[in-house]
């Protein structure tokens, strides 16, 4: 059984080795090359794929919980969903969470993931008190913001290319409700969308859903969702039952027309310009997790997500061009998510920078990569970059232009022989 | 407090079952050989669920110890879930009776000894449930694992008789027949994806079936139909096949 990543593309043969003990892991690393750790396979592309895969999920024990400070110590295969199931009822939530809770703590660190509060709380690494990392020679090193800082900065966002994260202490934030007060703002075009983001910079959580097929004067219209936790003491959090999409949709089901219909349905649901809702954690943060295997809608060939970020100064111009290019191509996507980000951190390969990021899903089909290469050019021309956690095809040249600290990262990989042991399809493609 | 006794607690299925029951409000006895190795896991259960998990030493092959093992439990369990098992090596078992015996004793003899004791107690108290993990391998003997399969077949028959006996005392006996499960035990085998369950899936199935008072569970469910087909092949044909 070969492992795949979230996008179901590419489908390659690989061998997997199960990480369920420090001594076995040491041996796995000693005896193999072209290794890459694999968490819960929620990266879209080939970040967690290689000839030899270390499956980390079985390494999944809670080690301790300090309920005074809200610091939980877990092995790296523990899912964020498991942390929530255990600790939301006790009044704790993740300081930073991505749009799915079905990822491992190791994967969260390795992609230095971010969420709807990046403009306020930064990346996942902000909440990492420490982690232990196994290096290629089998040594275990403790890393934090004060200890072995070079390895800390390389590993947070380092896409599994610095070794295997074994366990980590994550600091949590206190909450007093499982509900979020959500405000939805409907905008008519990109200019209004930007204004709405800027006017709501002080709101804890914000994210916009963009209608990618809108053209002309409607280009960039969106639903901006803002939110913050309520304070009603209701903490009886339980995960909802999942709905299943039980088979792979035939590819033709996803033609422009159905995307259009979907977009309109979503857009038309909200009648007022500003509306308020009370929603729960899973609805607000993880809408896609309740549809297990929703991605099957993209059919057998798989899909990818294109996510880029542009610096604030160039965001408007760049986004306008990119949205136009996409609308003209007719290759729409259900999910186009726009977000305003806060300042970049010091980690060598973390994705976020101050500016706007857009993420869109595309079905893998003929002509797609050509379109994405066109978009790449606009992105780097405007000083932006591509998110590796979603990527499956970006070229070395485009990648390098976006990540000015890449040579530091490469030098560190050499220094510890990481480049000899740890490689993903992605790292080979973009030459990390 | 309300304890569930899990026998063979080191296996992946057992661990998933333990978590599932703890999440749903039960305390857990984790019984296995060298159970101190399970201390970290017991701590994990406690941190996740705030339920108690206690590690107990139990050697399923040490029949003489079973009575005192059970008597020592201060608080008797609400239910017992036996996950103990040993796949063994068919090739070795064919030429080395010790291997055959170990397979039979672990999968059948030892479990009968232990469950007899628990069943008598439950019957007296008129409460409790018994879950035995058997296997689809017990539904029909195949050359690739018939020693293991025959021990599981015996276990299935034992559980079926026990269910019949305990019906009057209102005690549920659930026979679980997993197909392929992705665990330590099957690591490296090339299992067909659609027929292979994750341990958490099996644990969910077990919990749901037990709570609903079911008698026999195939997990994944599709194995019920796979086995219907396999059992329906006439012997004169089956004996020539390699499946
Ligand atoms: C529906 C959906 C929504 C998403 N939303 C967001 C979002 O809002 N923000 C965001 O930032 N991301 C988002 N993502 C991406 C996702 O958070 C990242 O890809 C994350 O890294 C996946 O974690 P995983 O455990 O599944 O790891 P995998 O996908 O298995 O691996 C991801 C990377 O982490 C490395 N890795 C995994 N475990 C370890 C370890 N123990 N030690 C070292 N390296 C390791 C792998 O080598 C690989 O490079 C989303 C993904 C999905 C499917």
């Amino acid at each position: 059984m070969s492992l795949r990543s979230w996008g179901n593309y590419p489908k390659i043969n690989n061998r997997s080795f199960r990480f369920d003990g420090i001594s076995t892991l040491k041996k796995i690393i000693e005896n193999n090359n072209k290794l890459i750790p694999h968490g819960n396979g929620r990266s879209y592309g080939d970040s967690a794929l290689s000839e030899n895969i270390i499956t980390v999920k079985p390494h999944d024990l809670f080690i301790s919980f300090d309920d005074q400070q809200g610091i939980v110590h877990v092995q790296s295969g523990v899912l964020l969903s498991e942390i929530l199931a255990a600790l939301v009822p006790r009044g704790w939530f993740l300081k930073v969470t991505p749009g799915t809770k079905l990822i491992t703590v190791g994967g969260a660190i390795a992609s230095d993931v971010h969420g709807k509060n990046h403009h306020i709380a930064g990346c996942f690494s902000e909440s990492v008190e420490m982690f232990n990392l196994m290096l290629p020679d089998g040594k275990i090193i403790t890393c934090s913001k004060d200890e072995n800082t070079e390895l800390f900065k390389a590993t947070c966002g380092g896409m599994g290319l610095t070794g295997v994260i074994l366990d980590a202490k994550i600091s949590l934030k206190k909450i007093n409700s499982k509900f979020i007060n959500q405000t939805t703002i409907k905008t008519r075009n990109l200019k209004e969308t930007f204004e709405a983001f800027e006017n709501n910079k002080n709101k804890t959580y914000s994210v916009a859903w963009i209608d990618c097929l809108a053209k002309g004067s409607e280009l960039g219209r969106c639903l901006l969702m803002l939110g913050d936790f309520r304070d009603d003491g209701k903490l009886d959090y339980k995960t909802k039952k999942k709905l299943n999409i039980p088979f792979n949709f035939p590819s033709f089901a996803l033609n422009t027309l159905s995307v259009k219909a979907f977009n309109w349905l979503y857009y038309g649901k909200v009648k007022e310009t500003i509306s308020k809702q009370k929603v729960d954690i899973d609805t607000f943060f993880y809408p896609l997790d309740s549809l297990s295997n929703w991605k099957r809608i993209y059919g057998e060939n798989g899909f990818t997500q294109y996510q880029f970020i542009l610096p604030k100064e160039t965001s408007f111009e760049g986004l306008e061009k990119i949205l136009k290019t996409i609308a003209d191509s007719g290759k729409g996507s259900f999910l186009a998510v726009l977000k305003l980000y806060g300042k970049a951190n010091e980690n060598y390969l973390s994705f976020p920078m101050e500016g706007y990021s857009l993420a869109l899903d595309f079905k893998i089909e003929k002509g797609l990569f050509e379109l994405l290469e066109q978009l790449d050019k606009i992105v780097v021309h405007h000083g932006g970059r591509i998110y590796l956690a979603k990527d499956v095809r970006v070229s070395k040249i485009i990648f390098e232009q976006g990540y000015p600290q890449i040579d530091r990262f490469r030098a560190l990989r050499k220094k510890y022989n990481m480049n000899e042991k740890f490689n993903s399809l992605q790292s080979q493609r973009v030459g990390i | 407090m309300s304890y569930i006794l899990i026998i063979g607690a080191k296996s992946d299925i057992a661990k998933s079952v333990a978590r599932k029951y703890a999440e749903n409000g039960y305390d857990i006895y984790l019984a296995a050989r060298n159970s101190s190795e399970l201390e970290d896991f017991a701590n994990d259960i406690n941190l996740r669920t705030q339920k108690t998990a206690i590690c107990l030493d139990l050697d399923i092959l040490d029949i003489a110890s079973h009575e005192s093992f059970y008597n020592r439990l201060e608080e008797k369990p609400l239910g017992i879930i036996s996950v103990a098992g040993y796949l063994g090596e068919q090739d070795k078992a064919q030429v080395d009776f010790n291997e055959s015996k170990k397979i039979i004793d672990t999968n059948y003899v030892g479990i009968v000894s232990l469950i007899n004791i628990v069943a008598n107690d439950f019957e007296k108290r008129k409460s409790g449930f018994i879950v035995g993990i058997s296997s689809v391998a017990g539904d029909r003997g195949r050359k690739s694992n018939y020693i293991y399969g025959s021990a599981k077949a015996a276990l299935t028959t034992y559980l079926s008789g026990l269910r019949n006996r305990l019906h009057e005392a209102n005690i549920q006996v659930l026979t679980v027949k997993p197909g392929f499960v992705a665990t330590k035990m099957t690591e490296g085998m090339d299992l067909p994806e659609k027929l292979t369950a994750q341990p958490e899936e099996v644990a969910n199935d077990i919990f749901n079936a037990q709570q609903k008072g079911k008698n026999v569970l195939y997990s994944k469910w599709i194995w019920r139909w796979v086995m219907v087909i396999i059992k329906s092949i006439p012997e004169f044909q089956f004996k020539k096949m390699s499946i």
Side-chain angles (χ1 to χ4, degrees):
Chain A
M1 216 164 27
S2 278
L3 279 169
R4 311 248 178 87
S5 278
W6 191 241
N8 255 329
Y9 174 88
K11 299 174 173 134
I12 56 143
N13 286 327
N14 50 56
R15 277 201 307 168
S16 48
F17 300 88
R18 185 184 154 106
F19 169 23
D20 55 9
I22 300 294
S23 54
T24 38
L25 179 63
K26 228 180 222 169
K27 282 210 194 83
I28 296 169
I29 297 179
E30 202 175 298
N31 297 335
N32 297 282
N33 292 326
K34 294 208 176 149
L35 282 162
I36 197 73
H38 190 99
N40 204 29
R42 249 56 183 187
S43 52
Y44 278 69
D46 49 4
S47 317
L49 295 179
S50 188
E51 242 165 72
N52 296 313
I53 286 177
I54 302 170
T55 53
V56 180
K57 229 179 121 219
H59 191 63
D60 71 345
L61 296 183
F62 279 55
I63 300 166
S64 68
F65 177 57
D66 174 343
D67 61 358
Q68 294 303 304
Q69 306 208 45
I71 295 176
V72 67
H73 189 186
V74 292
Q75 293 180 340
S76 55
V78 166
L79 298 175
L80 299 187
S81 60
E82 296 173 314
I83 295 181
L84 298 181
L87 298 177
V88 169
R90 286 179 249 178
W92 298 97
F93 191 69
L94 297 158
K95 283 185 174 162
V96 171
T97 176
T100 172
K101 59 179 176 172
L102 301 175
I103 71 166
T104 62
V105 166
I109 296 173
S111 295
D112 202 9
V113 298
H114 58 269
K116 298 178 178 187
N117 59 351
H118 183 271
H119 58 293
I120 288 184
C123 289
F124 194 79
S125 52
E126 292 302 322
S127 68
V128 176
E129 297 290 315
M130 61 73 81
F131 57 78
N132 284 310
L133 180 72
M134 187 179 282
L135 296 174
D137 61 5
K139 271 208 201 83
I140 298 173
I141 306 277
T142 302
C143 307
S144 72
K145 286 178 201 104
D146 319 303
E147 198 181 353
N148 295 308
T149 51
E150 202 192 21
L151 280 172
F152 184 85
K153 284 189 241 175
T155 302
C156 296
M159 307 308 290
L161 298 167
T162 62
V164 181
I165 300 159
L166 305 176
D167 54 79
K169 286 189 180 166
I170 309 300
S171 86
L172 304 169
K173 81 177 205 177
K174 193 93 198 116
I175 53 170
N176 192 31
S177 176
K178 61 170 182 177
F179 291 113
I180 286 97
N181 281 330
Q182 173 178 282
T183 305
T184 307
I185 300 173
K186 198 162 142 178
T187 71
R188 284 173 302 186
N189 54 45
L190 193 60
K191 188 161 161 286
E192 276 189 24
T193 300
F194 269 58
E195 280 165 7
F197 264 114
E198 295 295 336
N199 293 339
N200 290 288
K201 262 200 289 207
N202 58 343
K203 301 285 184 337
T204 310
Y205 298 105
S206 66
V207 72
W209 185 84
I210 289 242
D211 178 359
C212 265
L213 296 185
K215 292 189 184 187
S217 64
E218 292 182 328
L219 188 84
R221 66 182 178 179
C222 84
L223 291 172
L224 174 63
M225 264 90 71
L226 307 168
D228 216 334
F229 275 98
R230 286 166 67 92
D231 186 20
D232 55 18
K234 293 197 178 112
L235 289 164
D236 53 325
Y237 171 74
K238 281 227 170 63
T239 301
K240 285 187 201 148
K241 274 238 166 69
K242 285 182 177 178
L243 296 168
N244 237 321
I245 296 179
F247 52 88
N248 281 330
F249 260 55
S251 299
F252 62 79
L254 199 80
N255 54 23
T256 315
L257 218 77
S258 64
V259 176
K260 218 168 197 160
F262 187 94
N263 277 354
W264 264 112
L265 198 74
Y266 198 99
Y267 201 77
K269 238 170 62 174
V270 179
K271 292 277 180 285
E272 313 83 23
T273 308
I274 297 182
S275 56
K276 292 191 189 292
Q277 303 89 21
K278 175 181 135 186
V279 293
D280 60 19
I281 286 177
D282 287 344
T283 310
F284 186 75
F285 291 102
Y286 315 114
L288 288 173
D289 288 349
S290 62
L291 283 173
S292 87
N293 290 324
W294 53 269
K295 57 179 178 166
R296 284 178 171 163
I297 213 158
Y298 289 103
E300 276 285 355
N301 295 338
F303 71 114
T304 187
Q305 186 171 93
Y306 188 74
Q307 182 169 8
F308 62 90
I309 188 160
L310 301 175
K312 218 165 184 180
E313 313 80 72
T314 60
S315 283
F316 188 82
E317 191 193 314
L319 269 169
E320 206 171 27
K321 276 191 209 153
I322 286 174
L323 286 172
K324 260 192 198 130
T325 314
I326 293 168
D328 290 344
S329 77
K331 294 195 195 317
S333 94
F334 281 23
L335 298 166
V337 175
L338 181 73
K339 202 188 137 37
L340 173 61
Y341 285 54
K343 292 224 162 12
N345 60 25
E346 292 181 351
N347 302 333
Y348 299 163
L349 296 184
S350 284
F351 166 72
M353 60 165 87
E354 191 165 16
Y356 285 86
S357 157
L358 187 73
L360 335 88
D361 287 359
F362 290 98
K363 176 166 94 81
I364 301 278
E365 61 180 345
K366 244 171 88 187
L368 172 66
F369 287 1
E370 287 80 349
L371 170 67
L372 299 183
E373 275 155 30
Q374 243 178 301
L375 303 186
D376 285 344
K377 286 196 190 117
I378 309 176
V379 170
V380 293
H381 177 76
H382 289 85
R385 60 185 174 219
I386 308 288
Y387 193 9
L388 289 178
K390 311 288 177 72
D391 166 65
V392 72
R393 35 64 53 194
V394 77
S395 70
K396 184 168 178 232
I397 298 174
I398 298 288
F399 164 74
E400 283 175 341
Q401 291 183 62
Y403 289 85
Q405 298 205 71
I406 180 60
D407 285 331
R408 257 200 192 155
F409 189 79
R410 285 180 178 137
L412 177 123
R413 290 236 309 147
K414 267 222 177 88
K415 179 169 142 193
Y416 289 98
N417 273 333
M418 294 160 177
N419 54 341
E420 314 242 310
K421 280 288 170 194
F422 295 101
N423 282 292
S424 58
L425 291 186
Q426 183 173 58
S427 77
Q428 289 174 296
R429 176 163 42 78
V430 302
I432 310 185
Chain B
M1 276 196 280
S2 54
Y3 281 93
I4 303 297
L5 171 60
I6 299 180
I7 305 296
K10 278 185 190 164
S11 77
D12 291 330
I13 294 180
K15 287 182 173 179
S16 294
V17 167
R19 279 183 179 162
K20 184 75 193 176
Y21 274 84
E23 274 165 23
N24 284 280
Y26 297 89
D27 298 304
I28 310 289
Y29 289 130
L30 299 166
R33 255 185 315 175
N34 305 325
S35 71
S36 61
E37 289 168 20
L38 283 167
E39 289 296 347
D40 288 346
F41 179 67
N43 177 52
D44 167 85
I45 288 195
N46 177 252
L47 288 167
R48 283 173 186 254
T49 62
Q50 297 179 286
K51 291 284 142 191
T52 307
I54 296 176
C55 303
L56 304 168
D57 271 324
L58 171 71
D59 184 349
I60 199 75
L61 297 178
D62 183 8
I63 308 270
S65 73
H66 291 174
E67 189 91 49
S68 65
F69 165 83
Y70 192 72
N71 288 339
R72 272 201 312 273
L73 296 180
E74 243 166 59
E75 196 178 324
K76 297 297 180 237
L78 289 183
I80 175 175
I81 303 176
S82 165
V83 194
Y86 174 63
L87 187 56
E89 288 173 52
Q90 172 67 25
D91 293 346
K92 192 173 163 201
Q94 283 167 206
V95 291
D96 174 358
F97 182 68
N98 287 328
E99 177 75 352
S100 286
K101 183 160 164 29
K102 189 173 167 195
I103 293 173
I104 297 163
D105 286 350
T106 314
N107 291 301
Y108 182 56
V109 180
I111 293 175
V112 169
S113 154
L114 193 82
I115 294 189
N116 275 352
I117 295 164
V118 178
N120 292 342
D121 178 49
F122 284 4
E123 190 178 35
K124 228 184 296 153
R125 291 195 281 134
K126 293 209 169 351
S127 90
F129 65 81
I130 295 169
V131 179
I133 312 296
S134 186
S135 168
V136 295
D139 281 10
R140 190 158 197 182
R142 294 175 299 125
K143 64 181 171 189
S144 59
N145 68 356
Y146 64 87
I147 308 275
Y148 174 79
S150 60
K152 288 295 195 185
L155 179 64
T156 300
T157 305
Y158 168 83
L159 291 168
S160 139
L162 189 66
R163 176 159 45 245
N164 190 196
R165 165 188 153 197
L166 294 179
H167 173 69
E168 224 171 283
N170 203 18
I171 287 162
Q172 177 194 7
V173 177
L174 171 64
T175 308
V176 181
K177 298 183 183 179
F180 299 137
V181 187
T183 63
K184 279 196 280 264
M185 200 162 93
T186 57
E187 200 199 348
M189 294 184 188
D190 198 20
L191 302 177
E193 201 176 329
K194 293 237 155 64
L195 292 176
T196 305
Q198 295 302 316
E200 298 84 36
E201 254 177 290
V202 178
N204 271 340
D205 288 352
I206 291 174
F207 180 78
N208 291 334
Q210 185 273 313
Q211 296 282 314
K212 283 188 196 138
K214 293 259 161 72
N215 302 313
V216 179
L217 166 73
Y218 283 83
S219 180
K220 302 184 159 202
W221 62 268
I222 191 167
W223 280 96
R224 177 181 294 271
W225 306 109
V226 173
M227 294 322 292
V228 163
I229 294 166
I230 289 181
K231 281 191 286 192
S232 72
I233 302 169
E235 195 63 28
F236 74 89
Q237 220 162 8
F238 193 76
K239 71 178 181 188
K240 299 179 212 154
M241 294 168 67
S242 261
I243 52 171

